[in-house]
Amino acid sequence: MSITIKNNEEIEKMRQAGKILKQTLDLIEASIYPGQTSSHLDNLAYNYIISQGAKPSFLHYQGFPYTICASLNDQVVHGFCTDIPLKEGDIISVDCGVIWQGYHADAARTFPVGNISIENQKLIEDTKESFFEGIKDIKAGSRLGHISHKIQVYLESRGYGVVRELAGHGVGKQLHEDPIVANFGKYNSGIILQEGMTLAIEPMSTLGKRDVVLEDNDWTVSTLDGKTSAHYENTVLITKDGVEILTL
């Protein structure tokens, strides 16, 4: 395992990438409504990121054809953008990455399309809250497993499936770096977190069972039982006193 500790200059570049990414996701959120298409959202994200002098992290990454991953309803991650209009009651998770002067930030949000069911609204809110539960009381010297365990307990205690085949990760000069940040695990386990580590922490939960399947496009991962899924992610910096969220 090769974990990179970021210096002040690298952290500043990641802060700027995170700021642009947050603004991109805000722009997308304001543009989601029934009748909108994920292809249009993809164009919005691309144009905004380029206008800020940055680059999209995902576009052409290992052949991925879009700026954003737009995962609809039962799609967990890596959803493809289409010209099919979004419908009232859909939920869509948008995952996006930004490169600023060679350094990445990575974040995801799940958004409602118009009025959605109470259970889907709660799924979105609880998945987001599990992220904040995971980083609570974390700082340099904590173990990585604390994050994973707290996310798992928070979500499973509320009856959700916690996807195990996908995970968060280190992030920096590369979009995916060590370590892997699972959303399940034992409390007092894993590596010791160090000041200057940067992680993309991303709970993924389902209204049904946790089992997933890879779609025919070899990218999109969906729930096996067809139940809806939510995804929430931020890039964080480990400090001596706690965590700084770079994408808020």
Side-chain angles (χ1 to χ4, degrees):
M1 191 183 293
S2 171
I3 291 168
T4 61
I5 302 299
K6 296 357 180 247
N7 61 34
N8 289 339
E9 185 186 347
E10 292 171 310
I11 290 165
E12 205 44 58
K13 288 176 180 175
M14 291 185 67
R15 276 197 190 104
Q16 184 60 24
K19 181 180 172 187
I20 295 166
L21 178 48
K22 194 251 182 218
Q23 292 164 347
T24 304
L25 290 168
D26 286 349
L27 179 68
I28 287 172
E29 181 176 21
S31 307
I32 289 177
Y33 50 82
Q36 178 62 282
T37 69
S38 52
S39 291
H40 182 72
L41 299 176
D42 191 60
N43 286 332
L44 274 180
Y46 176 82
N47 289 331
Y48 184 75
I49 291 166
I50 295 298
S51 78
Q52 299 304 300
K55 294 178 189 169
S57 297
F58 296 177
L59 186 61
H60 308 312
Y61 177 79
Q62 295 183 357
F64 190 76
Y66 307 102
T67 294
I68 64 171
C69 301
S71 306
L72 198 61
N73 296 325
D74 64 327
Q75 295 175 339
V76 183
V77 290
H78 307 156
F80 275 21
C81 298
T82 74
D83 291 323
I84 300 168
L86 299 174
K87 300 191 305 293
E88 182 92 20
D90 283 340
I91 65 172
I92 183 169
S93 62
V94 176
D95 194 351
C96 190
V98 165
I99 310 168
W100 175 261
Q101 295 183 4
Y103 285 82
H104 296 262
D106 187 2
R109 308 280 185 265
T110 303
F111 300 119
V113 182
N115 293 309
I116 64 171
S117 70
I118 291 168
E119 62 178 2
N120 278 340
Q121 187 62 47
K122 193 148 173 43
L123 173 71
I124 292 172
E125 289 168 4
D126 286 343
T127 304
K128 175 179 177 178
E129 195 52 44
S130 75
F131 165 87
F132 291 98
E133 189 66 25
I135 63 169
K136 199 188 282 180
D137 306 323
I138 296 296
K139 60 184 178 183
S142 301
R143 286 197 177 271
L144 182 64
H146 293 195
I147 300 171
S148 307
H149 179 76
K150 281 156 77 171
I151 289 170
Q152 179 185 9
V153 168
Y154 186 89
L155 289 170
E156 288 184 349
S157 70
R158 285 156 179 78
Y160 301 111
V162 178
V163 176
R164 298 193 175 207
E165 289 79 2
L166 303 154
H169 48 90
V171 61
K173 205 160 190 178
Q174 307 296 326
L175 178 58
H176 294 103
E177 298 182 351
D178 287 333
I180 289 169
V181 187
N183 294 311
F184 67 97
K186 294 195 173 112
Y187 188 72
N188 201 19
S189 67
I191 60 163
I192 293 172
L193 301 175
Q194 300 174 61
E195 190 175 356
M197 282 176 66
T198 44
L199 306 172
I201 300 169
E202 47 180 321
M204 290 160 259
S205 63
T206 72
L207 266 184
K209 295 185 171 154
R210 64 175 177 82
D211 309 277
V212 294
V213 61
L214 183 65
E215 300 291 350
D216 290 342
N217 62 26
D218 285 336
W219 275 102
T220 307
V221 176
S222 299
T223 60
L224 187 60
D225 59 13
K227 295 286 181 70
T228 48
S229 172
H231 182 199
Y232 185 86
E233 175 186 22
N234 283 304
T235 296
V236 307
L237 167 70
I238 305 298
T239 71
K240 67 177 192 300
D241 303 316
V243 166
E244 179 187 341
I245 303 173
L246 303 182
T247 43
L248 282 178

